[in-house]
């Protein structure tokens, strides 16, 4: 394709000059997006197979979400929770219903929702379970990713996320993901919660062994422990169901939600649980200036309406089969393994060929945006509005670069 300008190098250099280097972005400077596509400042188009780490499940600028945001921008955007506004009750009711829970507590970022879940679980432990003061323990999985706060990185096993950010918050026990026996060993009378991702996203889209979460649920019931599912990346349609843990036939005590709940427009997160759990919080004990603001509730409410139709979960299930069939056919042709569910895949590239980073750079040159996780693994998570043809196009580009074909797609 003809590029009319070459603004990219200057934009990249300017961004480098003025920002902390806490990210290592691909050399693409995006200016517009629609559906599954984005356009860069030089007019190149890319299929977005990262979708904001699942924050863009409904694609860029979904018309219904944009309309809800516009309508709310013209009315009122922020009140603080010191007052109630007219978008609040409807958002909370509909989200609670979607989750099958009695109450929700809205926050903004995913990490804040995880922090909320930790605080609620601890308070529940002291007030309901009767754990001695200051002794609450939460069991988490190795290779987890739950966010970036000092408490959350305290139980990370990723040195990049954790090193030099101590002193660390105590009260967390780490067990191998998917290992039922190790979990059983780790439970003590002071255990208040098991906090896990139903599928570990950042770890490389790791799906636990069949039956694992059913065993976790049974263990939690046996020991009066809360099961907290971090569905921030895995939830809201990504895996072909509303929640990834549904594939395991399991209902957690608390859902932790974020990313797609904000429709790719505003940060919206929440925890959802029944009254016997979330009811432990009293006025003044937890909150957020922006949590549950009118704009967030208007957009989040529209997200819940979209999910309530089931259309996106269906698309993800059906197109996910197509994506996985196409990717599985690459095993032995530069791909070692493929994992995931629905429109979510972790793809292990043969490390003798390319690192994940190199694969993503070459994919970007071919007009497909994706993100590496660790080593030679890349993660594909297109918006749920993607079409079968767009999936074919993206997988064709991956296949071509693994074959070592030269040239760009456009
Ligand atoms: C499973 C999971 N939990 C929590 C988070 C943190 O969300 P945020 O970046 O919005 O704080 C993420 C982000 O990638 C995530 O994938």
């Amino acid at each position: 394709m003809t590029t009319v300008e070459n603004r990219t190098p200057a934009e990249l250099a300017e961004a480098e000059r003025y920002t902390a280097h806490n990210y290592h972005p691909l050399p693409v400077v995006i200016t517009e997006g629609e559906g599954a596509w984005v356009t860069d400042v030089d007019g190149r188009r890319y299929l977005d197979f990262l979708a904001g780490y699942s924050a863009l499940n409904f694609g860029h600028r979904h018309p219904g979400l944009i309309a809800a945001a516009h309508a709310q921008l013209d009315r009122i955007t922020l009140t603080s929770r010191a007052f109630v506004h007219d978008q609040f009750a409807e958002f909370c009711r509909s989200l609670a219903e979607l989750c099958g829970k009695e109450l929700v507590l809205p926050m903004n970022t995913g990490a804040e929702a995880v922090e909320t879940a930790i605080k609620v679980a601890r308070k529940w432990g002291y007030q309901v379970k009767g754990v001695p003061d200051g002794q609450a323990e939460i069991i988490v999985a190795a290779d987890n990713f739950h966010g970036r706060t000092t408490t959350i990185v305290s139980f990370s096993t990723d040195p990049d996320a954790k090193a030099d950010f101590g002193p660390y918050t105590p009260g967390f026990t780490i067990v191998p993901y998917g290992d039922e026996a190790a979990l059983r060993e780790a439970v003590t009378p002071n255990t208040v919660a098991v906090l896990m991702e139903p599928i570990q996203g950042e770890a490389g889209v790791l799906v636990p062994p069949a039956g694992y979460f059913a065993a976790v649920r049974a263990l939690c019931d046996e020991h009066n422990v809360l099961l907290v599912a971090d569905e921030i990346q895995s939830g809201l349609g990504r895996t072909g169901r509303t929640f990834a843990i549904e594939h395991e036939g399991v209902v957690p005590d608390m859902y932790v939600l974020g990313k797609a709940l904000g429709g790719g427009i505003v940060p919206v997160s929440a925890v959802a649980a029944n009254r016997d759990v979330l009811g432990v919080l009293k006025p003044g004990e937890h909150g957020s200036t922006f949590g549950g603001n009118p704009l967030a509730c208007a957009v989040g409410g529209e997200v819940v309406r979209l999910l309530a139709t089931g259309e996106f979960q269906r698309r993800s299930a059906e197109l996910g089969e197509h994506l996985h069939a196409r990717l599985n056919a690459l095993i032995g042709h530069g791909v070692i393994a493929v994992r995931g569910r629905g429109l979510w895949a972790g793809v292990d590239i043969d490390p003798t060929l390319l690192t994940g980073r190199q694969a993503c750079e070459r994919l970007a040159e071919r007009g497909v945006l994706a993100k590496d996780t660790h080593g030679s693994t890349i993660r594909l998570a297109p918006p749920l509005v993607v079409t079968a043809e767009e999936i074919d196009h993206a997988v064709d580009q991956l296949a071509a670069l693994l074959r070592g074909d030269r040239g760009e797609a456009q």
Side-chain angles (χ1 to χ4, degrees):
M1 114 173 242
T2 348
T3 51
V4 283
E5 291 182 76
N6 191 17
R7 281 173 54 196
T8 295
E11 295 274 357
L12 289 173
E14 191 82 334
E16 276 284 289
R17 192 169 309 130
Y18 289 106
T19 48
H21 292 172
N22 57 329
Y23 279 88
H24 182 200
L26 289 170
V28 175
V29 182
I30 295 167
T31 183
E32 270 177 39
E34 183 163 6
W37 292 85
V38 295
T39 306
D40 77 6
V41 287
D42 293 318
R44 285 180 289 255
R45 295 183 77 226
Y46 304 82
L47 261 176
D48 182 357
F49 264 53
L50 179 62
Y53 300 92
S54 288
L56 288 154
N57 279 2
F58 309 97
H60 294 273
R61 297 192 300 114
H62 182 283
L65 296 172
I66 292 293
H70 275 159
Q72 195 58 41
L73 281 171
D74 287 339
R75 295 175 60 226
I76 188 163
T77 53
L78 189 68
T79 58
S80 91
R81 292 281 308 277
F83 317 107
V84 180
H85 58 81
D86 65 0
Q87 301 297 309
F88 189 69
E90 172 57 15
F91 169 61
C92 294
R93 182 200 60 74
S94 65
L95 182 58
E97 252 176 50
L98 186 80
C99 297
K101 297 294 183 191
E102 291 168 349
L103 304 176
V104 303
L105 193 167
M107 297 292 284
N108 311 285
T109 63
E112 286 173 293
V114 172
E115 288 277 351
T116 302
I118 291 168
K119 288 171 77 175
V120 168
R122 285 178 170 178
K123 203 171 240 309
W124 174 88
Y126 300 127
Q127 297 199 340
V128 180
K129 182 167 176 171
V131 170
D133 191 31
Q135 302 296 307
E137 295 165 13
I138 295 177
I139 300 175
V140 297
D143 301 320
N144 68 73
F145 188 87
H146 297 286
R148 300 289 193 175
T149 65
T150 46
T151 287
I152 294 172
V153 299
S154 295
F155 56 86
S156 172
T157 56
D158 176 357
D160 288 345
K162 181 168 181 173
D164 293 336
F165 295 125
Y168 302 112
T169 306
F172 299 95
T173 308
I174 302 169
V175 297
Y177 189 62
D179 184 338
E180 186 191 331
L183 181 63
R184 185 170 288 280
E185 273 292 284
V187 176
T188 77
N190 293 338
T191 306
V192 296
V194 172
L195 164 66
M196 286 184 189
E197 300 153 83
I199 291 177
Q200 289 190 319
E202 299 300 308
V205 195
L206 298 187
V207 181
Y212 177 63
F213 273 100
V216 176
R217 176 73 273 178
L219 203 62
C220 286
D221 290 343
E222 191 185 324
H223 294 277
N224 193 24
V225 168
L226 299 177
L227 174 53
V228 181
D230 180 344
E231 293 265 11
I232 287 169
Q233 194 165 162
S234 61
L236 307 184
R238 171 55 56 194
T239 67
R241 303 277 178 90
T242 304
F243 303 111
I245 202 164
E246 283 177 57
H247 292 281
E248 315 292 331
V250 165
V251 177
D253 299 294
M254 208 177 336
Y255 290 102
V256 188
L257 304 172
K259 294 197 191 283
L261 194 55
I265 299 174
V266 275
V268 185
S269 67
V271 301
N274 282 340
R275 199 173 299 279
D276 58 343
V277 175
L278 260 186
V280 297
L281 289 180
K282 300 287 178 293
E285 292 176 351
H286 188 57
S288 152
T289 302
F290 293 97
N293 69 70
L295 184 59
C297 289
V299 173
E302 190 57 30
V303 164
V304 174
R305 272 189 286 281
L306 292 176
L307 286 168
T309 67
E311 179 198 333
F312 292 91
Q313 295 89 323
R314 259 192 312 279
R315 283 188 72 82
S316 180
E318 287 166 16
L319 291 167
E321 282 197 20
H322 182 62
L323 174 69
H324 282 272
R326 288 288 326 264
L327 290 173
N328 276 312
L330 298 184
I331 293 176
H333 302 277
V335 167
I336 287 177
V338 178
R339 295 170 301 276
R341 280 197 165 118
L343 282 172
W344 202 18
V347 181
D348 295 341
I349 308 282
D350 180 347
T352 63
L353 291 178
L354 294 167
T355 64
R357 171 77 189 186
Q358 288 168 329
C360 289
E361 283 169 355
R362 296 196 192 170
L363 268 177
E365 285 163 12
R366 292 173 165 276
V368 178
L369 298 182
K371 182 77 178 76
D372 50 309
T373 54
H374 299 280
S376 61
T377 301
I378 65 170
R379 164 198 10 211
L380 302 178
L384 311 183
V385 296
V386 75
T387 64
E389 293 70 34
E390 288 163 345
I391 290 171
D392 285 338
H393 177 72
V395 179
D396 288 346
Q397 298 314 311
L398 178 61
L401 80 85
L402 291 172
R403 279 195 307 268
D405 289 3
R406 297 176 70 83
E408 302 180 11
Q410 329 180 35

